[in-house]
Each structure stands twice: as structure tokens, then as C-alpha cells.
Amino acid sequence: MKVLVIGSGAREHALCRSLSLDPDVTALHCAPGNAGIAEVAELHQVDALDGAAVSALAERLGADLVVVGPEAPLVAGVADAVREAGIPVFGPAGEAARIEGSKAFAKDVMAGAGVPTARSYVCTTPDEVDAALDAFGAPYVVKDDGLAAGKGVVVTPDLDVARAHANSCERVVIEEFLDGPEVSLFAITDGETVLPLQPAQDFKRALDGDEGPNTGGMGAYSPLPWADPKLVQEVLDTVLQPTVDEMRRRGIPFSGLLYAGLAITSRGVRVIEFNARFGDPETQVVLARLKTPLAGVLLAAANGTLEDLPPLRWSEDAAVTVVVASHNYPGTPRTGDPITGLDQVAAEDTPHAYVLHAGTKREGDTVVSAGGRVLSVTAVGKDLGKARERAYRALSRIHLDGSQHRTDIAAKVAGVAEAAEVAEAAEAAEGA
């Protein structure tokens, strides 16, 4: 099977890494890719938002499957263009991808499907915004209706901050605050059959202790030892399958990856949001634990044959990923800084830990930063404590001037009481 992956982030590197390990994949291509993806796939230049250009590239390469990674090309209808060229594609049609492209549309689908979610108002004027904020009270949850690269949501106790964000958006969804821990659950679907993956938890805030501004995600871990063992089946029955059935009923079947962002509240599971693609950085840890070869699963979703697949096989190991971000992220990040230590990680930490590239590019013999989130340092271990120890040990070998990362990814669940203990754990591991 020849596979073409569209995208350039750590999510796409995780996908390409898994596909490169699949014995059925005879040729792997990525467009536009990044410096890390270049080590496992042949790179091509393409405008990822241009469906005609993507489908032309797929035809030229003789691709048997196209995997569209990011949300913007999906909402732009790139998967439609590839399907029209007669090539199997993993990713929903543009109209179906509106479940991520419009928060208001997603709320309407959830209402039709009877999916539990937060009460909300859709606002387009300052008066509507003020009325909605007053109705729900603090903490305020304000979501840009459109795509915002994971940074369109503000959760704040400050009314002025909430109002300012709402009024900066053309259309905004204001909703009640959901208490309880958050869970990310992915499901692969062909529009009828829904195949849930293993749950993960990500860390959205920029700073330790869940402080600082929202980001696209600063780290993640899987599995969730604190979650109810029946959680996946419950979410499949009450959220994922009803949503896929409702989309099909509306004549806009959803085929690809349906991502449910969930809050485990005191009143039960509630949907925070849907995404139309693999999440970043959760993909990094979920795929690290998937033992079933990936290409056949994605192709079955594209071809409508998911029900014929045997159950997915999963590793008992845990996985942790820690994001290394550029100076000033999530503001205007500084780029062009050299990254060192990658070869050392490859030499000393493989196969238990490895680096997935996001915002990187190669300048001569040097890999330099080229975006806000630069690397995802990922590791596996017999438990979360071992996995995070390996991730932080590998991260300690990497240098990027001015970079930042959280030191508390999976700390609480792994039994690390204080973030300061990360350094001690790394030192102890090096001496072991």
C-alpha cells in the first residue's frame, strides 16, 4: 500500500511513524511534512488547503490511501477532492467536518442526537454576549465559533476578559462551565461502524499547575488509571454512535476520525467539543500504544469496511508525551533557533523514547524551530511513572534556546507529588 499523509505537525509525524512500522505500507509520502517526518517518509511540497493540488499529487504518486491530518484542510473540503479523484481518503467531507469547523453546528448535531453537553448560547452581538455571560456566571466559557488552532477558547473568572474575547469573535458560543476531569476519546468511523480507541488526557494550559493561557496542548498521557473501566463503552453508546448516526440521518455521513473532548462531571459524562481529526498531542500517546497495524484500519474506514476488522490490539504499556514549545508560545513564537540533542536521544533513548517533530525544518545540516509547538518528546513504559521518567530524561538531552515545556505532565496520576521531583527522578534514572 502506498500512503500519502497531508500535514506538517507532530500529529502527522506520529501517524507517519506508525505507518512506517506497518509491513503493508510499501511507500510512505507526506506533504508538506517537517524535518522529523523526512526521516520516515518522502516529502513533497503542496498547498494543504488546495484540494485539486492534493488530489493531483496523490494521483501522481499512485497513492492507495490519503490521510488528511489537520482540521483546516478537512473543513476546506480537501478530502472531497481526493474522493472525487477515486482515491480512498481517511478524513471527513468538508460539510461533515463542520462538526469541528462550527461550534454552533456541533451543538445542533448534539441536540439532534440527544448527546449530553453543556447548555449554551450562540451570540453575534455585544448585547447577546452580555446576556449569556450574565445567565451562566463565572467561571465563563467563551468559544470562537470557527477554527482557531486550538486557541479559540477562553475559560476565565474575569468578566472583562470573557467579554473582550467574545466581542473579538464574529460568532461566539458561550456555555456553562463543566466541572470534573477532561478526557479525550478518539473513534475511527466509516459513517456507520464506530471503533473507539484508548482514552487519553491532554494538558491545555501553558504552565505547570494548569496555569497560563490556553494552548494547542502541552502534553498528554494514556491510559487513564483513574477512569471507570466502562467509560469507553458508555461514551460509545451515548456520544459517539448517536453522533455518527445523526450525521448520517442528516445526509452528511461522517467518515474518518471523530474526536470527543469530554468532561467527567458530577452529573455524568458531558461533551465539551468535537473535532474532526486526530488530536495533538493525544495522538502521540494513543498511537504509541496501538499494536494493530494502522494502515489497514484507516483504509477500512475509507472504504466502509470497518465492521469486518478484528478487535484492535493494545499494548499494556503506558505512554507520555511532553511538548517543547518556542519562546513566547502561545503568543507570537520565535522561530529559526537551532535544535540540538536529537541525535543523542536517538542513540541513547530508543526504542523507549523518541522525538516527534512539529514546527521544525532543516537548514543545511541543522534542524531549526519553525513554529510554536516544536517537538513532542514521547516515551513508553510499564506504567505512567516509568514512561514520564523516560520522556523527561530524553527531553533533558535537547536544547532549544528560549524554549519552554511543562514539568508536570502526568505527574499527579503517576504519583509525583511535586514538579520539582521531575529533576530528581531524571537524575536517579541516569545513575541507574
Side-chain angles (χ1 to χ4, degrees):
M1 192 191 307
K2 296 178 181 177
V3 182
L4 169 63
V5 176
I6 302 301
S8 61
R11 164 187 45 231
E12 287 74 38
H13 193 177
L15 287 164
C16 285
R17 179 182 181 274
S18 291
L19 290 166
S20 73
L21 299 173
D22 187 332
D24 288 337
V25 175
T26 54
L28 182 58
H29 303 271
C30 186
N34 59 41
I37 295 174
E39 297 177 7
V40 295
E42 182 179 346
L43 301 191
H44 305 270
Q45 283 303 311
V46 76
D47 179 353
L49 297 175
D50 186 336
V54 170
S55 57
L57 174 62
E59 287 184 301
R60 180 167 62 82
L61 296 174
D64 301 298
L65 173 67
V66 175
V67 180
V68 183
E71 61 272 25
L74 290 169
V75 172
V78 167
D80 303 80
V82 177
R83 280 194 187 89
E84 287 165 11
I87 301 169
V89 57
F90 182 81
E95 194 175 358
R98 287 179 64 211
I99 203 163
E100 177 170 4
S102 168
K103 303 289 190 299
F105 175 75
K107 287 288 187 182
D108 188 59
V109 170
M110 284 187 263
V115 168
T117 186
R119 294 178 297 122
S120 63
Y121 294 104
V122 179
C123 306
T124 57
T125 68
D127 286 345
E128 289 175 347
V129 164
D130 286 343
L133 293 173
D134 183 60
F136 289 130
Y140 305 101
V141 181
V142 184
K143 300 180 176 181
D144 190 333
D145 181 53
L147 293 179
K151 291 174 281 187
V153 179
V154 166
V155 181
T156 177
D158 189 316
L159 178 60
D160 291 336
V161 171
R163 184 184 289 121
H165 180 64
N167 290 330
S168 71
C169 303
E170 188 173 323
R171 195 170 188 230
V172 68
V173 174
I174 295 173
E175 63 184 39
E176 67 175 328
F177 177 76
L178 296 175
D179 64 325
E182 295 185 12
V183 173
S184 299
L185 186 60
F186 302 163
I188 292 172
T189 178
D190 56 11
E192 292 191 23
T193 300
V194 180
L195 196 63
L197 305 185
Q198 289 290 301
Q201 186 172 60
D202 77 332
F203 294 75
K204 286 293 187 192
R205 298 286 186 172
L207 307 176
D208 285 359
D210 292 327
E211 299 290 336
N214 258 356
T215 71
M218 296 298 291
Y221 69 91
S222 179
L224 311 182
W226 50 267
D228 189 322
K230 300 188 291 292
L231 175 65
V232 173
Q233 187 63 47
E234 179 187 349
V235 175
L236 175 62
D237 293 341
T238 64
V239 174
L240 298 169
Q241 190 71 57
T243 299
V244 169
D245 292 345
E246 173 68 10
M247 295 286 281
R248 189 173 67 254
R249 187 189 68 78
R250 292 177 178 224
I252 43 176
F254 187 101
S255 170
L257 194 291
L258 182 62
Y259 164 136
L262 309 164
I264 313 301
T265 78
S266 55
R267 294 173 293 145
V269 174
R270 297 289 185 271
V271 175
I272 300 170
E273 65 176 355
F274 282 125
N275 290 335
R277 39 71 194 181
F278 279 101
D280 183 345
E282 300 98 320
T283 300
Q284 289 85 302
V285 292
V286 172
L287 292 186
R289 301 184 58 228
L290 179 65
K291 294 176 71 174
T292 300
L294 183 62
V297 181
L298 302 187
L299 184 63
N303 288 336
T305 57
L306 267 183
E307 67 175 352
D308 299 331
L309 287 184
L312 296 178
R313 293 181 295 112
W314 295 93
S315 168
E316 293 295 320
D317 283 352
V320 171
T321 194
V322 183
V323 170
V324 178
S326 294
H327 175 73
N328 201 42
Y329 177 79
T332 303
R334 194 175 77 204
T335 60
D337 290 310
I339 303 166
T340 59
L342 298 173
D343 291 342
Q344 189 179 1
V345 174
E348 300 189 32
D349 297 285
T350 305
H352 301 301
Y354 48 89
V355 180
L356 298 169
H357 291 229
T360 69
K361 65 179 180 180
R362 187 171 288 279
E363 291 185 350
D365 294 331
T366 305
V367 175
V368 303
S369 61
R373 291 187 296 172
V374 182
L375 306 168
S376 287
V377 183
T378 306
V380 294
K382 62 179 174 46
D383 54 35
L384 286 167
K386 190 64 177 178
R388 75 183 304 276
E389 174 190 301
R390 286 170 168 168
Y392 280 105
R393 179 168 52 188
L395 189 151
S396 70
R397 307 188 201 282
I398 297 168
H399 179 73
L400 170 61
D401 188 47
S403 66
Q404 55 180 313
H405 66 271
R406 284 185 57 161
T407 65
D408 62 349
I409 303 302
K412 286 182 181 178
V413 74
V416 178
E418 299 292 340
E421 293 182 26
V422 171
E424 294 175 20
E427 288 175 7
E430 287 176 3

